[in-house]
Amino acid sequence: MGDVLAGIHATWEFDPDSVLIRFERGIRTPKLFQALGERRIPHEALESVSLARGKRGTVVLHAVVRPGADPLMEAAAGQLKDGCDPYRLVLPAERETLAEYYADELAAVITPEVKEPADRFLVAAPKAPLHFKAYDGKASFDGSKVSFRWFWTGASSAKWKAGDQIFDVRELAGVEWRSPELFEGYLRLVRRDANGAGRPAQADQDPSAVVFGLGYGPVHESLPFAAAVLDAAKSAPGVAVPAAVAALRDPADIADRIRHLGELHRAGLVTDDEFSAKKAELLAEL
């Protein structure tokens, strides 16, 4: 096709084997779109396409991606609002005829075979390095390892006892993302060897998870992060690696951690034995 269809907040460029979606930058553009920048969607990643009337004199060209084809949509698990759906192109109503033409063109290349779930990701995930601030810690991903560094103002005593965490993507089976726009949002890493067994039910007690809150872990930061980790975990070979380990810290940071550990001990949230063992562990990192 090779043509361009410009809509509100995005432009779709139609190539012979794919659609290149370029998102605009601007105050009114959803932050998720700005974070994504652009995405190339192979035709084989699409399940269907439709055109419908939108709100306030608009029409919406909507492509539906195949299950398992896009790590972003897999991580989102149906939690995105329509306004943040990267596969919706909103256009002025006067472009309906043109939009209908492209909808028909796309529908023509979607064969019954590609309507089955994909056996691998076909759309590229957001690129690392990525990071964001959750309510109880900072999450970072460098492309091969995920790290959680706890904030003393938000992390639970269970997470402070466990210490800062580092996970190799080869030990991960997937990612659970619960939108920060929902009640008790979180991002939880799923270990290959765990399968949920023995995992704390509450994310705020789980060292494999960070929890969101007002202003923490926004969609445009935490969802691309989750998608990138999910993609890396699914493509990494299942090689046994050591369990998550505590991240090394500088002396000032370790001093802060010991100080907070002492506060937990005085408050009765940490036993004498737990305090002694954890203090010795922290001192050993110096």
Side-chain angles (χ1 to χ4, degrees):
M1 289 176 275
D3 295 332
V4 172
L5 184 60
I8 300 172
H9 303 319
T11 297
W12 288 18
E13 182 177 333
F14 299 89
D15 293 326
D17 60 352
S18 62
V19 178
L20 178 62
I21 301 177
R22 300 181 187 276
F23 298 104
E24 295 179 355
R25 293 186 178 277
I27 297 177
R28 296 185 178 181
T29 302
K31 290 183 178 181
L32 177 61
F33 292 176
Q34 296 185 51
L36 294 175
E38 67 177 42
R39 312 191 78 213
R40 183 170 293 279
I41 316 301
H43 290 162
E44 61 177 327
L46 298 176
E47 180 181 83
S48 64
V49 62
S50 63
L51 182 67
R53 293 293 178 92
K55 299 178 180 179
R56 296 185 291 276
T58 63
V59 292
V60 180
L61 181 61
H62 186 208
V64 177
V65 71
R66 294 167 61 190
D70 183 353
L72 186 83
M73 302 307 285
E74 289 296 302
Q79 299 175 74
L80 286 179
K81 297 178 179 179
D82 285 349
C84 286
D85 185 342
Y87 289 92
R88 295 175 80 253
L89 180 66
V90 181
L91 306 112
E94 57 265 25
R95 296 185 186 175
E96 182 175 1
T97 300
L98 186 59
E100 185 175 9
Y101 165 77
Y102 285 114
D104 291 341
E105 289 288 297
L106 273 181
V109 301
I110 300 175
T111 63
E113 290 76 14
V114 302
K115 292 187 178 182
E116 297 296 323
D119 58 3
R120 59 186 176 85
F121 290 136
L122 301 170
V123 182
K127 295 182 179 180
L130 294 166
H131 58 84
F132 69 90
K133 287 185 178 180
Y135 174 74
D136 56 357
K138 179 179 180 181
S140 302
F141 178 51
D142 64 5
S144 61
K145 291 182 174 58
V146 180
S147 64
F148 294 157
R149 181 181 179 183
W150 309 123
F151 296 152
W152 71 269
T153 52
S156 64
S157 59
K159 291 184 176 180
W160 273 95
K161 289 178 185 179
D164 293 348
Q165 301 289 299
I166 296 179
F167 304 86
D168 190 300
V169 295
R170 292 174 296 175
E171 65 180 293
L172 301 179
V175 177
E176 293 178 4
W177 180 79
R178 183 177 175 86
S179 174
E181 297 177 348
L182 302 175
F183 182 64
E184 295 185 343
Y186 61 82
L187 182 147
R188 193 196 304 260
L189 304 178
V190 181
R191 299 278 295 278
R192 289 182 185 271
D193 58 353
N195 296 320
R199 185 177 65 184
Q202 298 297 320
D204 66 341
Q205 301 297 313
D206 187 354
S208 298
V210 289
V211 298
F212 306 145
L214 185 62
Y216 292 96
V219 171
H220 70 281
E221 294 180 353
S222 61
L223 180 56
F225 185 103
V229 174
L230 178 61
D231 177 69
K234 294 296 184 182
S235 60
V239 179
V241 294
V245 295
L248 296 180
R249 295 290 168 223
D250 60 37
D253 184 45
I254 291 177
D256 286 340
R257 288 172 59 82
I258 293 176
R259 188 179 302 111
H260 182 66
L261 186 65
E263 294 173 357
L264 295 176
H265 180 233
R266 287 189 293 274
L269 299 175
V270 176
T271 66
D272 292 342
D273 290 342
E274 289 173 334
F275 172 75
S276 298
K278 189 60 184 178
K279 181 179 179 180
E281 178 183 324
L282 290 170
L283 292 173
E285 295 182 14
L286 290 173

Short mmCIF file of all heavy atoms in Angstrom, two decimals, residues 155-208:
data_model
loop_
_atom_site.label_atom_id
_atom_site.label_comp_id
_atom_site.label_asym_id
_atom_site.label_seq_id
_atom_site.Cartn_x
_atom_site.Cartn_y
_atom_site.Cartn_z
N ALA A 155 8.06 0.68 51.53
CA ALA A 155 8.18 -0.78 51.52
C ALA A 155 7.74 -1.40 52.84
O ALA A 155 7.95 -0.84 53.91
CB ALA A 155 9.62 -1.17 51.21
N SER A 156 7.13 -2.57 52.74
CA SER A 156 6.70 -3.30 53.94
C SER A 156 7.91 -3.90 54.64
O SER A 156 9.00 -4.03 54.07
CB SER A 156 5.74 -4.42 53.53
OG SER A 156 6.39 -5.38 52.73
N SER A 157 7.70 -4.31 55.89
CA SER A 157 8.79 -4.93 56.65
C SER A 157 9.22 -6.23 55.99
O SER A 157 10.41 -6.60 56.04
CB SER A 157 8.35 -5.18 58.09
OG SER A 157 7.20 -6.02 58.14
N ALA A 158 8.29 -6.93 55.33
CA ALA A 158 8.63 -8.18 54.65
C ALA A 158 9.62 -7.93 53.52
O ALA A 158 10.56 -8.71 53.31
CB ALA A 158 7.37 -8.85 54.10
N LYS A 159 9.46 -6.82 52.82
CA LYS A 159 10.38 -6.51 51.73
C LYS A 159 11.72 -6.03 52.26
O LYS A 159 12.77 -6.34 51.69
CB LYS A 159 9.74 -5.49 50.79
CG LYS A 159 8.56 -6.06 50.01
CD LYS A 159 7.97 -5.09 49.01
CE LYS A 159 6.87 -5.76 48.22
NZ LYS A 159 6.25 -4.88 47.21
N TRP A 160 11.69 -5.28 53.36
CA TRP A 160 12.96 -4.85 53.94
C TRP A 160 13.74 -6.04 54.48
O TRP A 160 14.97 -6.09 54.37
CB TRP A 160 12.69 -3.84 55.07
CG TRP A 160 12.59 -2.45 54.53
CD1 TRP A 160 11.47 -1.77 54.20
CD2 TRP A 160 13.69 -1.59 54.21
NE1 TRP A 160 11.79 -0.53 53.70
CE2 TRP A 160 13.15 -0.39 53.70
CE3 TRP A 160 15.07 -1.70 54.33
CZ2 TRP A 160 13.94 0.68 53.29
CZ3 TRP A 160 15.86 -0.64 53.93
CH2 TRP A 160 15.30 0.53 53.42
N LYS A 161 13.05 -7.01 55.03
CA LYS A 161 13.73 -8.21 55.51
C LYS A 161 14.38 -8.96 54.35
O LYS A 161 15.49 -9.49 54.47
CB LYS A 161 12.74 -9.13 56.22
CG LYS A 161 12.26 -8.62 57.56
CD LYS A 161 11.24 -9.59 58.16
CE LYS A 161 10.63 -9.06 59.44
NZ LYS A 161 9.63 -10.01 60.00
N ALA A 162 13.67 -9.02 53.22
CA ALA A 162 14.19 -9.75 52.05
C ALA A 162 15.34 -9.00 51.38
O ALA A 162 16.21 -9.61 50.77
CB ALA A 162 13.07 -9.98 51.04
N GLY A 163 15.36 -7.67 51.51
CA GLY A 163 16.41 -6.88 50.88
C GLY A 163 16.08 -6.53 49.45
O GLY A 163 15.15 -7.07 48.84
N ASP A 164 16.86 -5.62 48.87
CA ASP A 164 16.69 -5.26 47.47
C ASP A 164 16.87 -6.49 46.61
O ASP A 164 17.68 -7.37 46.94
CB ASP A 164 17.71 -4.18 47.08
CG ASP A 164 17.45 -2.85 47.78
OD1 ASP A 164 16.38 -2.71 48.37
OD2 ASP A 164 18.35 -1.99 47.74
N GLN A 165 16.15 -6.53 45.50
CA GLN A 165 16.10 -7.75 44.69
C GLN A 165 16.65 -7.56 43.28
O GLN A 165 16.49 -6.49 42.67
CB GLN A 165 14.66 -8.23 44.59
CG GLN A 165 13.99 -8.53 45.92
CD GLN A 165 14.54 -9.77 46.56
OE1 GLN A 165 14.47 -10.87 46.02
NE2 GLN A 165 15.13 -9.60 47.74
N ILE A 166 17.29 -8.60 42.77
CA ILE A 166 17.74 -8.64 41.38
C ILE A 166 17.28 -9.97 40.79
O ILE A 166 17.49 -11.03 41.39
CB ILE A 166 19.26 -8.52 41.25
CG1 ILE A 166 19.74 -7.15 41.74
CG2 ILE A 166 19.68 -8.71 39.79
CD1 ILE A 166 21.24 -6.97 41.65
N PHE A 167 16.64 -9.92 39.62
CA PHE A 167 16.13 -11.12 38.95
C PHE A 167 16.70 -11.19 37.54
O PHE A 167 16.61 -10.22 36.78
CB PHE A 167 14.60 -11.11 38.86
CG PHE A 167 13.90 -10.97 40.18
CD1 PHE A 167 13.66 -9.72 40.73
CD2 PHE A 167 13.46 -12.10 40.86
CE1 PHE A 167 13.00 -9.59 41.95
CE2 PHE A 167 12.81 -11.98 42.08
CZ PHE A 167 12.58 -10.73 42.62
N ASP A 168 17.27 -12.32 37.20
CA ASP A 168 17.70 -12.57 35.83
C ASP A 168 16.46 -12.99 35.04
O ASP A 168 15.66 -13.80 35.52
CB ASP A 168 18.74 -13.69 35.81
CG ASP A 168 19.42 -13.84 34.46
OD1 ASP A 168 18.71 -14.11 33.48
OD2 ASP A 168 20.65 -13.71 34.38
N VAL A 169 16.29 -12.46 33.82
CA VAL A 169 15.08 -12.78 33.05
C VAL A 169 14.97 -14.28 32.75
O VAL A 169 13.88 -14.79 32.51
CB VAL A 169 15.01 -11.99 31.74
CG1 VAL A 169 14.86 -10.50 32.01
CG2 VAL A 169 16.21 -12.26 30.85
N ARG A 170 16.10 -15.00 32.80
CA ARG A 170 16.06 -16.43 32.51
C ARG A 170 15.34 -17.22 33.60
O ARG A 170 14.93 -18.36 33.37
CB ARG A 170 17.49 -16.97 32.31
CG ARG A 170 18.17 -16.44 31.06
CD ARG A 170 19.62 -16.88 31.00
NE ARG A 170 20.40 -16.33 32.10
CZ ARG A 170 21.67 -16.63 32.35
NH1 ARG A 170 22.30 -17.52 31.57
NH2 ARG A 170 22.32 -16.07 33.35
N GLU A 171 15.18 -16.62 34.77
CA GLU A 171 14.47 -17.31 35.84
C GLU A 171 13.00 -16.90 35.91
O GLU A 171 12.26 -17.34 36.78
CB GLU A 171 15.14 -17.06 37.19
CG GLU A 171 15.10 -15.61 37.65
CD GLU A 171 15.77 -15.41 39.00
OE1 GLU A 171 15.25 -15.92 39.99
OE2 GLU A 171 16.83 -14.75 39.02
N LEU A 172 12.57 -16.07 34.95
CA LEU A 172 11.20 -15.57 34.96
C LEU A 172 10.33 -16.29 33.93
O LEU A 172 10.76 -16.52 32.80
CB LEU A 172 11.17 -14.07 34.68
CG LEU A 172 11.96 -13.18 35.66
CD1 LEU A 172 11.85 -11.73 35.24
CD2 LEU A 172 11.46 -13.38 37.08
N ALA A 173 9.10 -16.61 34.32
CA ALA A 173 8.14 -17.22 33.40
C ALA A 173 7.21 -16.17 32.80
O ALA A 173 6.61 -16.39 31.75
CB ALA A 173 7.32 -18.28 34.13
N GLY A 174 7.08 -15.04 33.46
CA GLY A 174 6.20 -14.00 32.96
C GLY A 174 6.08 -12.84 33.91
O GLY A 174 6.84 -12.71 34.88
N VAL A 175 5.10 -11.99 33.63
CA VAL A 175 4.88 -10.77 34.41
C VAL A 175 3.38 -10.59 34.61
O VAL A 175 2.60 -10.81 33.68
CB VAL A 175 5.45 -9.53 33.69
CG1 VAL A 175 5.14 -8.26 34.48
CG2 VAL A 175 6.94 -9.66 33.49
N GLU A 176 2.98 -10.19 35.80
CA GLU A 176 1.59 -9.81 36.06
C GLU A 176 1.56 -8.30 36.26
O GLU A 176 2.27 -7.78 37.12
CB GLU A 176 1.06 -10.50 37.31
CG GLU A 176 0.90 -12.01 37.19
CD GLU A 176 0.42 -12.64 38.48
OE1 GLU A 176 0.12 -11.88 39.44
OE2 GLU A 176 0.36 -13.87 38.54
N TRP A 177 0.73 -7.62 35.46
CA TRP A 177 0.59 -6.17 35.59
C TRP A 177 -0.86 -5.84 35.89
O TRP A 177 -1.75 -6.21 35.12
CB TRP A 177 1.03 -5.49 34.30
CG TRP A 177 0.94 -3.98 34.31
CD1 TRP A 177 1.82 -3.11 34.89
CD2 TRP A 177 -0.08 -3.17 33.69
NE1 TRP A 177 1.42 -1.81 34.68
CE2 TRP A 177 0.26 -1.83 33.94
CE3 TRP A 177 -1.23 -3.47 32.95
CZ2 TRP A 177 -0.52 -0.78 33.47
CZ3 TRP A 177 -2.01 -2.42 32.49
CH2 TRP A 177 -1.65 -1.09 32.75
N ARG A 178 -1.09 -5.19 37.00
CA ARG A 178 -2.42 -4.70 37.34
C ARG A 178 -2.36 -3.18 37.27
O ARG A 178 -1.57 -2.56 37.98
CB ARG A 178 -2.84 -5.16 38.73
CG ARG A 178 -4.27 -4.73 39.10
CD ARG A 178 -4.68 -5.28 40.45
NE ARG A 178 -5.99 -4.79 40.86
CZ ARG A 178 -7.15 -5.34 40.53
NH1 ARG A 178 -7.15 -6.41 39.76
NH2 ARG A 178 -8.29 -4.83 40.95
N SER A 179 -3.16 -2.60 36.42
CA SER A 179 -3.09 -1.17 36.12
C SER A 179 -3.11 -0.31 37.37
O SER A 179 -3.90 -0.55 38.30
CB SER A 179 -4.26 -0.78 35.20
OG SER A 179 -4.29 0.63 35.01
N PRO A 180 -2.29 0.73 37.40
CA PRO A 180 -2.31 1.67 38.53
C PRO A 180 -3.61 2.47 38.57
O PRO A 180 -3.90 3.13 39.56
CB PRO A 180 -1.11 2.57 38.26
CG PRO A 180 -0.88 2.48 36.78
CD PRO A 180 -1.25 1.07 36.42
N GLU A 181 -4.41 2.41 37.51
CA GLU A 181 -5.69 3.10 37.48
C GLU A 181 -6.78 2.27 38.15
O GLU A 181 -7.93 2.71 38.27
CB GLU A 181 -6.07 3.44 36.04
CG GLU A 181 -5.09 4.41 35.39
CD GLU A 181 -5.43 4.70 33.95
OE1 GLU A 181 -6.28 3.97 33.39
OE2 GLU A 181 -4.85 5.63 33.37
N LEU A 182 -6.43 1.04 38.53
CA LEU A 182 -7.35 0.17 39.26
C LEU A 182 -6.94 0.13 40.73
O LEU A 182 -5.83 0.54 41.09
CB LEU A 182 -7.33 -1.25 38.68
CG LEU A 182 -7.68 -1.38 37.19
CD1 LEU A 182 -7.50 -2.81 36.74
CD2 LEU A 182 -9.10 -0.91 36.94
N PHE A 183 -7.80 -0.39 41.56
CA PHE A 183 -7.49 -0.46 42.98
C PHE A 183 -6.40 -1.50 43.23
O PHE A 183 -6.43 -2.59 42.67
CB PHE A 183 -8.76 -0.84 43.76
CG PHE A 183 -8.57 -0.89 45.25
CD1 PHE A 183 -8.23 0.25 45.96
CD2 PHE A 183 -8.70 -2.09 45.93
CE1 PHE A 183 -8.05 0.22 47.33
CE2 PHE A 183 -8.52 -2.14 47.31
CZ PHE A 183 -8.20 -0.98 48.01
N GLU A 184 -5.42 -1.14 44.02
CA GLU A 184 -4.30 -2.03 44.38
C GLU A 184 -3.54 -2.52 43.14
O GLU A 184 -3.35 -3.70 42.92
CB GLU A 184 -4.81 -3.22 45.20
CG GLU A 184 -5.37 -2.82 46.55
CD GLU A 184 -5.76 -4.02 47.40
OE1 GLU A 184 -5.89 -5.13 46.83
OE2 GLU A 184 -5.94 -3.85 48.61
N GLY A 185 -3.09 -1.57 42.33
CA GLY A 185 -2.29 -1.93 41.17
C GLY A 185 -0.90 -2.39 41.57
O GLY A 185 -0.38 -2.01 42.63
N TYR A 186 -0.29 -3.22 40.72
CA TYR A 186 1.04 -3.72 41.02
C TYR A 186 1.68 -4.32 39.77
O TYR A 186 1.01 -4.57 38.76
CB TYR A 186 0.99 -4.80 42.11
CG TYR A 186 0.18 -6.02 41.74
CD1 TYR A 186 0.72 -7.05 40.96
CD2 TYR A 186 -1.14 -6.16 42.18
CE1 TYR A 186 -0.03 -8.16 40.62
CE2 TYR A 186 -1.89 -7.27 41.84
CZ TYR A 186 -1.33 -8.27 41.06
OH TYR A 186 -2.07 -9.36 40.70
N LEU A 187 2.98 -4.54 39.84
CA LEU A 187 3.72 -5.31 38.84
C LEU A 187 4.41 -6.44 39.60
O LEU A 187 5.18 -6.19 40.52
CB LEU A 187 4.74 -4.45 38.11
CG LEU A 187 5.54 -5.14 37.00
CD1 LEU A 187 5.88 -4.16 35.88
CD2 LEU A 187 6.85 -5.75 37.53
N ARG A 188 4.11 -7.67 39.20
CA ARG A 188 4.66 -8.83 39.89
C ARG A 188 5.41 -9.71 38.89
O ARG A 188 4.90 -10.00 37.80
CB ARG A 188 3.55 -9.64 40.55
CG ARG A 188 4.07 -10.69 41.54
CD ARG A 188 3.01 -11.74 41.89
NE ARG A 188 1.78 -11.21 42.40
CZ ARG A 188 1.44 -11.17 43.69
NH1 ARG A 188 2.28 -11.59 44.62
NH2 ARG A 188 0.26 -10.71 44.06
N LEU A 189 6.60 -10.14 39.25
CA LEU A 189 7.38 -11.06 38.43
C LEU A 189 7.01 -12.49 38.80
O LEU A 189 6.89 -12.82 39.97
CB LEU A 189 8.88 -10.84 38.66
CG LEU A 189 9.39 -9.40 38.43
CD1 LEU A 189 10.88 -9.32 38.75
CD2 LEU A 189 9.13 -8.95 37.00
N VAL A 190 6.83 -13.32 37.79
CA VAL A 190 6.47 -14.72 38.00
C VAL A 190 7.69 -15.59 37.74
O VAL A 190 8.22 -15.61 36.62
CB VAL A 190 5.31 -15.15 37.08
CG1 VAL A 190 4.93 -16.61 37.34
CG2 VAL A 190 4.10 -14.23 37.28
N ARG A 191 8.14 -16.28 38.75
CA ARG A 191 9.33 -17.11 38.64
C ARG A 191 9.01 -18.44 37.94
O ARG A 191 7.94 -19.00 38.09
CB ARG A 191 9.88 -17.41 40.03
CG ARG A 191 10.31 -16.17 40.81
CD ARG A 191 11.68 -15.71 40.42
NE ARG A 191 12.66 -16.71 40.79
CZ ARG A 191 13.19 -16.84 42.00
NH1 ARG A 191 12.80 -16.03 42.97
NH2 ARG A 191 14.08 -17.77 42.26
N ARG A 192 9.95 -18.96 37.17
CA ARG A 192 9.76 -20.23 36.49
C ARG A 192 9.58 -21.38 37.47
O ARG A 192 8.83 -22.31 37.22
CB ARG A 192 10.99 -20.54 35.60
CG ARG A 192 11.12 -19.67 34.36
CD ARG A 192 12.32 -20.10 33.55
NE ARG A 192 12.56 -19.21 32.41
CZ ARG A 192 12.02 -19.38 31.21
NH1 ARG A 192 11.21 -20.39 30.99
NH2 ARG A 192 12.29 -18.54 30.23
N ASP A 193 10.27 -21.32 38.60
CA ASP A 193 10.27 -22.44 39.54
C ASP A 193 9.24 -22.29 40.65
O ASP A 193 9.18 -23.12 41.55
CB ASP A 193 11.65 -22.60 40.16
CG ASP A 193 12.12 -21.33 40.89
OD1 ASP A 193 11.42 -20.30 40.77
OD2 ASP A 193 13.15 -21.37 41.54
N ALA A 194 8.42 -21.23 40.56
CA ALA A 194 7.49 -20.97 41.67
C ALA A 194 6.07 -21.41 41.37
O ALA A 194 5.43 -22.08 42.16
CB ALA A 194 7.51 -19.48 42.01
N ASN A 195 5.55 -21.00 40.19
CA ASN A 195 4.18 -21.33 39.80
C ASN A 195 3.16 -20.90 40.86
O ASN A 195 2.14 -21.55 41.07
CB ASN A 195 4.03 -22.83 39.54
CG ASN A 195 4.88 -23.29 38.37
OD1 ASN A 195 4.96 -22.59 37.36
ND2 ASN A 195 5.50 -24.44 38.50
N GLY A 196 3.46 -19.83 41.58
CA GLY A 196 2.53 -19.30 42.57
C GLY A 196 2.61 -19.97 43.93
O GLY A 196 2.03 -19.50 44.89
N ALA A 197 3.32 -21.08 44.02
CA ALA A 197 3.39 -21.81 45.29
C ALA A 197 4.19 -21.01 46.31
O ALA A 197 5.33 -20.60 46.07
CB ALA A 197 4.04 -23.17 45.06
N GLY A 198 3.61 -20.79 47.47
CA GLY A 198 4.28 -20.10 48.55
C GLY A 198 4.43 -18.61 48.35
O GLY A 198 5.07 -17.94 49.15
N ARG A 199 3.83 -18.08 47.30
CA ARG A 199 3.95 -16.65 47.03
C ARG A 199 2.94 -15.88 47.86
O ARG A 199 1.77 -16.26 47.93
CB ARG A 199 3.69 -16.40 45.54
CG ARG A 199 3.92 -14.96 45.10
CD ARG A 199 3.70 -14.81 43.62
NE ARG A 199 2.31 -15.07 43.24
CZ ARG A 199 1.87 -15.09 41.98
NH1 ARG A 199 2.74 -14.92 41.00
NH2 ARG A 199 0.61 -15.31 41.72
N PRO A 200 3.34 -14.78 48.52
CA PRO A 200 2.39 -13.99 49.30
C PRO A 200 1.22 -13.52 48.43
O PRO A 200 1.42 -13.13 47.28
CB PRO A 200 3.23 -12.81 49.78
CG PRO A 200 4.64 -13.31 49.77
CD PRO A 200 4.72 -14.24 48.59
N ALA A 201 0.02 -13.60 48.98
CA ALA A 201 -1.16 -13.20 48.21
C ALA A 201 -1.15 -11.70 47.93
O ALA A 201 -1.58 -11.26 46.86
CB ALA A 201 -2.43 -13.59 48.97
N GLN A 202 -0.66 -10.92 48.87
CA GLN A 202 -0.64 -9.47 48.72
C GLN A 202 0.68 -9.02 48.11
O GLN A 202 1.75 -9.39 48.59
CB GLN A 202 -0.85 -8.79 50.08
CG GLN A 202 -2.20 -9.11 50.72
CD GLN A 202 -3.36 -8.60 49.88
OE1 GLN A 202 -3.29 -7.51 49.31
NE2 GLN A 202 -4.42 -9.39 49.80
N ALA A 203 0.59 -8.19 47.06
CA ALA A 203 1.79 -7.73 46.38
C ALA A 203 2.69 -6.91 47.29
O ALA A 203 3.91 -6.90 47.11
CB ALA A 203 1.41 -6.92 45.15
N ASP A 204 2.10 -6.21 48.28
CA ASP A 204 2.95 -5.39 49.15
C ASP A 204 3.80 -6.22 50.10
O ASP A 204 4.71 -5.71 50.75
CB ASP A 204 2.11 -4.38 49.92
CG ASP A 204 1.16 -5.03 50.91
OD1 ASP A 204 0.89 -6.24 50.77
OD2 ASP A 204 0.70 -4.33 51.82
N GLN A 205 3.53 -7.53 50.17
CA GLN A 205 4.33 -8.43 51.00
C GLN A 205 5.26 -9.31 50.17
O GLN A 205 6.04 -10.08 50.72
CB GLN A 205 3.41 -9.34 51.83
CG GLN A 205 2.45 -8.59 52.75
CD GLN A 205 3.17 -7.79 53.81
OE1 GLN A 205 4.09 -8.29 54.46
NE2 GLN A 205 2.78 -6.53 53.99
N ASP A 206 5.19 -9.18 48.86
CA ASP A 206 5.93 -10.05 47.95
C ASP A 206 7.18 -9.35 47.41
O ASP A 206 7.07 -8.36 46.68
CB ASP A 206 5.02 -10.46 46.79
CG ASP A 206 5.65 -11.50 45.88
OD1 ASP A 206 6.84 -11.83 46.08
OD2 ASP A 206 4.95 -11.99 44.97
N PRO A 207 8.38 -9.84 47.72
CA PRO A 207 9.61 -9.22 47.22
C PRO A 207 9.76 -9.32 45.70
O PRO A 207 10.64 -8.69 45.13
CB PRO A 207 10.72 -10.01 47.93
CG PRO A 207 10.07 -10.58 49.14
CD PRO A 207 8.67 -10.91 48.70
N SER A 208 8.88 -10.11 45.05
CA SER A 208 8.90 -10.22 43.59
C SER A 208 7.95 -9.22 42.94
O SER A 208 7.69 -9.32 41.73
CB SER A 208 8.52 -11.64 43.16
OG SER A 208 9.44 -12.59 43.66
#
